[in-house]
Amino acid sequence: MWPAIWIVWSCLFAVFETVALVNRREGDTLSENFRRLFRTRTSKAGRAVFAVGWCGFSAWFTLHILTETM
């Protein structure tokens, strides 16, 4: 059941992001929302928090997938 849920979730995300990209309205893509959430345009601290969080997540996820650990 879980693989089906992840597939549906991924497909829904792809549809919503595609619609957001096509309609070109400001503030509706995932990237735009992350920029707003972390204030990357106006805050060096926000940029740093995002960069550390993203790099940390990427490193963890890489190890998680390659070593099959939690």
Side-chain angles (χ1 to χ4, degrees), residues 11-24:
C11 289
L12 284 172
F13 170 77
V15 167
F16 291 136
E17 190 70 5
T18 299
V19 169
L21 289 169
V22 169
N23 73 23
R24 297 181 181 257

Side-chain angles (χ1 to χ4, degrees), residues 36-59:
R36 185 175 37 243
L37 176 66
F38 289 96
R39 298 183 178 125
T40 58
R41 292 184 178 154
T42 59
S43 171
K44 288 184 180 181
R47 285 177 174 224
V49 169
F50 174 78
V52 168
W54 186 258
C55 291
F57 171 76
S58 296

